[in-house]
Amino acid sequence: MRSSIGWIVMVVSGLLAASTPVVADEPLTVVMLGDSITKGARPGVAENETFAAVLQSRVAVADRQIVVINQGVGGETTAGALARFDAQIVPQQPQIVAIMYGTNDCYVDPGRTESRLSREEFRRNLDELVERVRALGAEPLLMTEPCYAKQSPANGLGEHGNVRLSKYMDVCREVAARRDVVLIDHFAGWTAALAAGEALEEWTTDGYHPNPRGHRDLADRLQRPLELALAERVGGPVNFRVELEEVLSHDDGKYLWYHPRATVYPSAAGDRVVPEPLITLQRHLHVSDHYDGLATMHRQAQGGWTEPRPEPALAWRKNAAGETVAVCDVTPGYHAPTGKVIALGAKILYDEAGNQLTAKPRSNEFAYAVYSPDAHGGHWSEWRIVELPETEAGYHLVTPGCAQWLVEPDGSLLVPLYHKGASGEAYSATVVHCTFDGTTLALAERGTTLELGEVRGLCEPSLARYRGRYYLTLRNDLRGYVTASDDGLHYASIRPWTFDDGGELGSYNTQQHWLAHSGGLFLVYTRRGANNDHIIRNRAPLFMAPIEPETLQVVRASEQIVIPERGGELGNFGATAISPAESWVTVGEGVWSDDARKRGAKGTVFIARVQWLSPNRLRGGSGPAAFVDAVPGGE
């Protein structure tokens, strides 16, 4: 049933820079924006011993000249940084701005009872600094401040400095996660050193200002992320190659394997924790939209995949009326805060012939199941339903089917739905905000209702977060649509997908999905005009191209095929980030005629392994959650 890898397709794709392009041979400018810890020079620390100066002597990117400008000001808070930003930072025309604040923001002066700036003010100011840096066409890097040594001056309330600083550094981490900014966590590094028995007094001049040894440590931690960020700016387009893997092939006239979608979660391997890929998929039973229960596949230690294994907890059920209750169009994702995998899908009802029953209220519902990994292979919960308001006519039928969804930095979920009332009107689309406690998924808030009165309306929405903004692509019978949002819930008016030359994209009556890389946001789609009129709804090949985030257009010149057409349709697919080095596009090949077979279709499940030639620095910008890192000791 399984086949070995069928062929390798090598593809290199161009991507227009997501920020201001760098002119060849011009120096690359890095600004270090911060307080006295960034300024560095003081008794015991010479100008050439600060971490900015150390990096000036070390950082090398493609033989380009690097200019590191130290813009540290003693005693400064984030409010001070904003006040001087236009006068002192903008004229430098930097490619990178590294931002490190918090020690002064959180400080309580003698005679006072509160910090100089509240945590909310600190959060707003960091947000604005990130926004201003990006408005320059530069890339921000956020840094936490190093922690205080055990023996260090107390604040005006007599508190040890880390008491408040630790809370403000949590805010810095939250802003970095929410805005998709690379974080260099000096506070965590120094705290770990302290816990390991290091005397941080020997790293500082006075318990909190770094001495030359402390500055070298800051430079050590910042150097690699800075070099990667600079390389991304000068390296031109984001390049990738595609390794195409045939996972299995099955075409017996009874069923095809459909809707394969992947995620990755941490799994114990001896004394280590390693990333474990998981694919969910279902049998298409050769009746339109008739699917069996959910099955799973796991990557084997020696390579290849296990055979699809039906999950008993996720099989068909009969309700009191004797109807078959099933869940299809499933998308799994890892929820890092709880260590669980969540599968979201559409609950549907079938009659004995496999026809969908949609007359009853809630015959289509928002379903989910939870996978709990453990040493014995893990276990799935049964399907559960997210309760939505029963009183609203527009939610007679509702489904998250085939949608890409996101885990937010606080552990909550943003899930795109499409829904309609009982009177046969077109579907609308909405993104909902949900909470998850490791067991129960619950509705917290609903966003904008997006509507289109064409044919069946808006279906199968998919969501991505890129550089702190949210992007939604939507299926319509006539064409695909796109919109964007600043908060993930409230969206601008939809617009048809077009190429950057103004021509219509040509994707229609099928889904589109996202892949996000720190260097750019990509759309994966099918379209007309590829010598593919013999394919149902032109649903093959699968294309991938970068989009212009500001104009919401696809860059035509950078379009590449990631899964080729060979007679079968490829419309029902998934796309997700797997690691900093790799993202996957997964699809099952629809074989509906002998003509498709003659052209080479075999009912194959494909993985297009998009292998980035520069690391993806987004932590979960595409796909539900953060990457899973291998760690020692089963921790």
Side-chain angles (χ1 to χ4, degrees):
M1 189 175 186
R2 269 187 295 107
S3 66
S4 60
I5 186 166
W7 61 85
I8 301 294
V9 179
M10 304 301 289
V11 180
V12 176
S13 172
L15 171 62
L16 299 182
S19 45
T20 302
V22 180
V23 177
D25 300 327
E26 284 192 358
L28 303 173
T29 300
V30 178
V31 167
M32 299 296 176
L33 182 59
D35 52 31
S36 58
I37 293 176
T38 296
K39 182 181 178 181
R42 58 188 301 103
V45 183
E47 290 278 359
N48 65 355
E49 293 176 313
T50 67
F51 73 85
V54 172
L55 288 167
Q56 174 71 80
S57 66
R58 285 187 190 175
V59 172
V61 177
D63 297 322
R64 298 293 293 273
Q65 181 184 354
I66 310 296
V67 177
V68 179
I69 299 174
N70 190 332
Q71 282 281 357
V73 172
E76 188 167 73
T77 67
T78 49
L82 288 170
R84 66 185 175 97
F85 191 89
D86 289 344
Q88 296 185 18
I89 308 306
V90 172
Q92 306 294 343
Q93 297 185 316
Q95 279 71 54
I96 306 291
V97 179
I99 303 165
M100 183 165 66
Y101 286 96
T103 300
N104 296 311
D105 298 72
C106 74
Y107 189 75
V108 179
D109 291 302
R112 302 283 186 176
T113 59
E114 299 295 336
S115 297
R116 291 173 179 171
L117 294 180
S118 69
R119 274 184 281 174
E120 185 54 40
E121 289 172 316
F122 181 63
R123 176 184 288 105
R124 287 199 304 268
N125 290 347
L126 281 182
D127 266 326
E128 188 171 347
L129 284 169
V130 167
E131 187 173 331
R132 288 202 192 181
V133 170
R134 284 178 168 162
L136 285 177
E139 179 70 14
L141 302 179
L142 279 177
M143 299 187 288
T144 58
E145 300 263 30
C147 74
Y148 287 76
K150 285 183 179 180
Q151 303 299 319
S152 58
N155 65 20
L157 289 177
E159 298 171 331
H160 189 276
N162 289 336
V163 171
R164 290 185 181 239
L165 184 58
S166 64
K167 296 180 175 63
Y168 280 64
M169 296 305 91
D170 285 341
V171 172
C172 182
R173 296 182 187 104
E174 181 269 320
V175 171
R178 178 166 44 81
R179 301 299 296 267
D180 283 328
V181 180
V182 171
L183 177 74
I184 297 90
D185 202 340
H186 299 305
F187 188 92
W190 283 42
T191 300
L194 191 64
E198 288 281 355
L200 295 186
E201 291 81 2
E202 298 177 5
W203 295 26
T204 61
T205 62
D206 53 7
Y208 64 103
H209 286 100
N211 62 18
R213 177 181 177 183
H215 276 282
R216 288 194 299 274
D217 181 83
L218 300 183
D220 289 344
R221 197 169 287 108
L222 178 55
Q223 182 176 351
R224 181 60 175 161
L226 179 58
E227 288 179 337
L228 287 173
L230 286 168
E232 204 165 85
R233 298 301 305 274
V234 303
V238 173
N239 293 326
F240 62 89
R241 65 188 181 96
V242 177
E243 181 179 294
L244 191 62
E245 179 179 354
E246 295 188 20
V247 177
L248 63 83
S249 294
H250 182 95
D251 174 26
D252 64 357
K254 297 178 181 179
Y255 67 85
L256 297 165
W257 287 108
Y258 245 51
H259 292 294
R261 294 189 176 92
T263 190
V264 61
Y265 64 91
S267 177
D271 62 349
R272 296 197 311 138
V273 171
V274 298
E276 174 76 21
L278 166 72
I279 291 177
T280 61
L281 69 172
Q282 292 176 282
R283 291 170 173 157
H284 186 296
L285 302 176
H286 277 263
V287 174
S288 180
D289 290 328
H290 190 205
Y291 296 97
D292 203 348
L294 196 70
T296 61
M297 302 177 71
H298 293 261
R299 178 73 84 179
Q300 296 176 317
Q302 67 273 25
W305 291 85
T306 61
E307 299 289 343
R309 181 182 70 185
E311 296 292 345
L314 307 178
W316 283 353
R317 299 285 188 269
K318 292 288 186 179
N319 63 16
E323 299 156 335
T324 297
V325 181
V327 175
C328 68
D329 297 345
V330 174
T331 302
Y334 176 57
H335 187 262
T338 61
K340 305 292 181 67
V341 172
I342 310 171
L344 304 185
K347 187 212 82 174
I348 55 180
L349 300 179
Y350 292 130
D351 64 18
E352 291 299 322
N355 300 306
Q356 289 195 40
L357 305 172
T358 58
K360 294 182 178 180
R362 309 291 174 167
S363 55
N364 286 178
E365 292 189 280
F366 178 0
Y368 71 99
V370 178
Y371 178 70
S372 301
D374 59 37
H376 305 290
H379 62 277
W380 285 93
S381 72
E382 293 188 352
W383 291 112
R384 302 164 181 160
I385 301 299
V386 177
E387 296 298 330
L388 297 170
E390 294 288 345
T391 57
E392 297 192 20
Y395 284 78
H396 174 80
L397 303 178
V398 59
T399 166
C402 302
Q404 281 178 297
W405 49 276
L406 295 175
V407 176
E408 289 286 86
D410 64 0
S412 63
L413 276 64
L414 290 178
V415 182
L417 306 174
Y418 61 105
H419 52 90
K420 62 184 291 187
S423 58
E425 66 268 28
Y427 280 98
S428 301
T430 303
V431 176
V432 296
H433 184 207
C434 297
T435 60
F436 181 65
D437 61 7
T439 302
T440 302
L441 192 65
L443 176 69
E445 184 181 3
R446 284 178 294 162
T448 307
T449 298
L450 300 169
E451 298 178 325
L452 180 67
E454 286 185 344
V455 200
R456 290 181 295 171
L458 300 170
C459 302
E460 294 178 351
S462 275
L463 181 64
R465 186 179 67 242
Y466 174 66
R467 294 167 63 89
R469 202 151 195 262
Y470 299 84
Y471 297 85
L472 192 66
T473 184
L474 306 108
R475 169 183 174 178
N476 172 259
D477 286 6
L478 304 182
R479 60 191 61 83
Y481 285 84
V482 62
T483 182
S485 166
D486 289 328
D487 65 3
L489 288 172
H490 303 95
Y491 287 83
S493 298
I494 61 173
R495 64 178 72 176
W497 271 115
T498 62
F499 284 111
D500 55 341
D501 59 10
E504 187 170 332
L505 182 64
S507 182
Y508 72 101
N509 204 3
T510 196
Q511 56 202 243
Q512 309 96 38
H513 297 305
W514 303 100
L515 288 179
H517 185 280
S518 49
L521 181 61
F522 292 80
L523 188 71
V524 184
Y525 55 93
T526 59
R527 64 168 177 82
R528 300 182 181 93
N531 194 27
N532 58 351
D533 288 345
H534 57 282
I535 302 293
I536 297 171
R537 300 174 187 170
N538 300 92
R539 286 184 171 183
L542 280 179
F543 292 96
M544 175 173 162
I547 75 158
E548 292 279 15
E550 297 304 318
T551 64
L552 300 181
Q553 293 177 307
V554 174
V555 181
R556 188 191 290 271
S558 296
E559 179 187 77
Q560 298 290 339
I561 292 172
V562 291
I563 301 182
E565 175 266 313
R566 59 178 193 183
E569 57 107 359
L570 304 174
N572 298 292
F573 66 98
T576 191
I578 295 295
S579 74
E582 191 165 290
S583 297
W584 288 1
V585 178
T586 52
V587 71
E589 187 177 45
V591 185
W592 309 114
S593 67
D594 286 337
D595 178 66
R597 296 181 182 93
K598 289 176 183 177
R599 293 174 184 268
K602 300 186 294 183
T604 298
V605 171
F606 293 108
I607 301 174
R609 299 173 62 181
V610 178
Q611 298 178 341
W612 306 108
L613 302 188
S614 60
N616 185 357
R617 297 182 295 113
L618 294 182
R619 303 296 292 178
S622 69
F627 300 132
V628 176
D629 295 318
V631 297
E635 296 177 1

